[in-house]
Amino acid sequence: MRLSRYFLPVLKETPSEAQIVSHRYMLRAGMIKQAQAGIYSWLPLGYKVLRNIENIVHEEQQRAGHIPLLMPTLQSAELWRESGRYDDYGEEMLRIKDRHGRDMLYGPTNEELITDIFRSHVGSYKDLPLTLYHIQWKFRDEVRPRFGVMRGREFLMKDGYNFDLTKEDALHAYNRHLVSYLRSYERMGLQAIPMRADGGPIGGDYTHEFLVLAETGESEVFYDSEITDLKFGDRAIDYDSVAECQAVLEEFTSRYARTDETHDAALFDQIPEARRRSARGIEVGQIFYFGTKYSEPMGAMVADAEGNRVPVHMGSHGIGVSRLLGAIIEASHDDKGIIWPEGVTPFHCGIVNLKVGDSEADAACEALYGALTALGLEPLYDDTEERAGAKFASMDLIGLPWRITVGPRGLKNGVVELTSRRTGESEELPPEAAVARIAQIYGKAVAAA
């Protein structure tokens, strides 16, 4: 993509309504524009990151054996009356009537709708276990939406639902989701700590929230510092293995880590003082097991091996896809702008032409652009006539992990400059070597010349 043809409305000044880093940088980098309080248009740069996060979530969910579908944003109130939640959910639910006077709602979550799908099509234990999920827009009418996408009213969320014959099977699904979430967050460059949480309006006795530590987090959290040393890494995992998934759960939840809602001061005091930590955290996901809370009142039953009709055991599992953009920025930025992890960056690198119109500089940039594109990478080529300082400031603000700078002086010596956004370190390399380095970083093979 050439910057001269791209829509990137970068702002030099910080809008007055932006109170936290992620909101400021998302507005300044031209990623979002507020449509109304808590509701945003996703501009091209922000939309690219949103889709990258969504793709990671899809890949890891399907790796775990979960099946995607898509449910509507509007739901019938009758389903929610069946479960007993329609009157209990509170004013966060947007309730509307259609032209025929039927009660509808803009879904804040989908337990009722997915249970209705299940009961309509599944009747035997032989069809279990089953986990269905989707990534869809949700709406919760926050009293005071703030902090940009961190606490908006409309948001994109992955919500998944498992259906199992027994509690033991459902708890394996719970563990399977925990593993898949750990993998997802690490691929995004985040350390999201699973913490014992409260079930809230979803319900359930088994629930963990995943929180990213950040000064602007909405939750106070308490944890054993040993947990921040844990990494899932690239280890192989058999999602069908109860023992393997249980072992990961125990590894990542055996140390103390709780939100303020479930904090137990007596248990916390048993941790060696040097390892006790309190901080702020941003919730980016939550998993629940709630048994037959929805299946019993809504008649989601299957025949077991003896022919008895029994309610299925269920759980729900959410990831805040749009909220993750804010969380990543809160965890990865400096005073110049965003620093995108390679896993979610909107463009793999930036190419900065220091002298547009110079035949050698133009040709070198075109060659770099073509070589990177041929490898399946997406560079953002700044071919505008802005001064060099403004080009560097924009690249720093939008946070691409790598920048290749091309100028007549370097080309006379046969080199371009490759710069890491995270460290600020630069290295002079022949153009072909710079391409090979970027390809290596992103795991792309470069054919020998």
Side-chain angles (χ1 to χ4, degrees):
M1 182 58 65
R2 300 168 195 273
L3 190 54
S4 62
R5 302 179 190 175
Y6 196 56
F7 182 58
L8 185 63
V10 170
L11 304 177
K12 292 182 179 179
E13 302 296 327
T14 299
S16 59
E17 72 269 20
Q19 299 176 341
I20 63 172
V21 168
S22 58
H23 194 193
R24 291 199 298 270
Y25 283 156
M26 290 184 76
L27 290 171
R28 286 197 55 213
M31 298 180 70
I32 56 173
K33 183 183 185 302
Q34 180 171 302
Q36 54 184 286
I39 301 175
Y40 293 88
S41 295
W42 290 82
L43 306 185
L45 194 74
Y47 184 66
K48 281 180 71 67
V49 181
L50 191 69
R51 286 290 171 249
N52 289 342
I53 291 172
E54 186 177 349
N55 287 340
I56 289 173
V57 174
H58 272 303
E59 289 168 9
E60 293 303 332
Q61 286 304 295
Q62 291 173 54
R63 187 197 300 268
H66 306 156
I67 304 169
L69 47 66
L70 185 63
M71 290 177 277
T73 56
L74 294 179
Q75 302 180 32
S76 166
E78 289 308 309
L79 288 175
W80 284 65
R81 289 189 174 111
E82 281 190 55
S83 71
R85 282 208 301 174
Y86 184 71
D87 295 319
D88 294 342
Y89 202 88
E91 294 185 357
E92 286 185 354
M93 182 191 289
L94 181 62
R95 295 166 169 86
I96 57 178
K97 288 183 182 291
D98 69 9
R99 66 193 302 167
H100 302 291
R102 291 177 293 220
D103 290 326
M104 308 283 286
L105 59 100
Y106 194 127
T109 183
N110 283 74
E111 282 80 8
E112 285 80 3
L113 197 55
I114 196 71
T115 303
D116 181 54
I117 291 171
F118 177 89
R119 71 183 179 183
S120 299
H121 299 287
V122 180
S124 170
Y125 77 98
K126 294 179 181 179
D127 296 319
L128 304 180
L130 179 66
T131 294
L132 303 170
Y133 80 93
H134 73 158
I135 298 177
Q136 179 61 289
W137 292 97
K138 303 287 191 292
F139 188 91
R140 293 176 188 169
D141 201 3
E142 295 280 352
V143 174
R144 194 160 64 92
R146 60 194 190 279
F147 304 154
V149 301
M150 298 291 289
R151 185 173 281 280
R153 294 194 293 165
E154 185 182 64
F155 55 94
L156 189 63
M157 188 171 83
K158 171 263 163 181
D159 45 317
Y161 306 89
N162 66 281
F163 300 88
D164 291 278
L165 184 62
T166 67
K167 178 178 180 179
E168 291 71 27
D169 292 339
L171 291 178
H172 173 54
Y174 184 96
N175 297 350
R176 194 172 63 238
H177 278 85
L178 181 135
V179 175
S180 68
Y181 280 25
L182 291 172
R183 286 185 57 95
S184 299
Y185 296 129
E186 286 194 15
R187 284 185 60 186
M188 298 172 198
L190 289 173
Q191 182 176 45
I193 302 171
M195 298 193 177
R196 182 75 61 84
D198 180 71
I202 304 294
D205 297 327
Y206 293 80
T207 180
H208 282 86
E209 288 178 348
F210 292 79
L211 288 104
V212 174
L213 301 179
E215 292 180 2
T216 51
E218 61 194 345
S219 301
E220 187 175 11
V221 298
F222 303 84
Y223 62 96
D224 182 336
S225 64
E226 281 190 347
I227 202 166
T228 57
D229 297 327
L230 298 177
K231 298 288 185 292
F232 190 86
D234 58 359
R235 70 179 87 172
I237 188 79
D238 179 0
Y239 281 103
D240 290 329
S241 170
V242 172
E244 285 188 36
C245 292
Q246 179 67 25
V248 174
L249 174 93
E250 291 173 359
E251 177 185 354
F252 281 84
T253 64
S254 59
R255 295 164 182 82
Y256 190 94
R258 297 195 178 196
T259 64
D260 51 359
E261 294 174 320
T262 59
H263 177 52
D264 187 322
L267 285 177
F268 190 58
D269 288 344
Q270 294 177 20
I271 302 167
E273 187 174 356
R275 300 201 325 248
R276 289 181 219 153
R277 299 285 189 276
S278 63
R280 308 296 298 180
I282 300 167
E283 182 198 343
V284 292
Q286 190 164 3
I287 56 178
F288 302 85
Y289 161 73
F290 42 65
T292 59
K293 175 179 177 176
Y294 297 92
S295 57
E296 283 192 359
M298 296 187 68
M301 316 283 280
V302 296
D304 64 15
E306 286 74 41
N308 302 311
R309 299 280 293 171
V310 296
V312 292
H313 288 255
M314 294 175 57
S316 68
H317 316 276
I319 288 181
V321 175
S322 54
R323 169 179 272 229
L324 273 164
L325 272 84
I328 291 168
I329 295 170
E330 292 293 334
S332 185
H333 69 272
D334 60 17
D335 58 1
K336 296 178 182 179
I338 302 164
I339 305 174
W340 290 117
E342 279 85 354
V344 299
T345 181
F347 294 95
H348 296 102
C349 71
I351 301 172
V352 174
N353 188 340
L354 293 181
K355 195 168 184 181
V356 173
D358 178 89
S359 59
E360 289 189 14
D362 290 350
C365 288
E366 290 290 346
L368 285 166
Y369 184 84
L372 290 165
T373 303
L375 292 170
L377 296 168
E378 283 191 279
L380 178 63
Y381 173 23
D382 188 344
D383 59 344
T384 67
E385 295 184 1
E386 284 275 5
R387 57 185 177 82
K391 290 187 176 191
F392 292 146
S394 291
M395 283 290 176
D396 285 342
L397 174 63
I398 66 175
L400 307 186
W402 298 93
R403 185 185 75 224
I404 301 174
T405 305
V406 181
R409 185 180 303 174
L411 290 175
K412 286 180 181 179
N413 298 319
V415 297
V416 296
E417 185 179 69
L418 179 64
T419 304
S420 164
R421 175 69 181 87
R422 187 167 298 280
T423 67
E425 296 176 356
S426 295
E427 181 180 2
E428 290 188 338
L429 297 167
E432 299 80 6
V435 170
R437 181 72 59 82
I438 295 295
Q440 180 185 40
I441 289 166
Y442 290 102
K444 300 289 184 180
V446 181

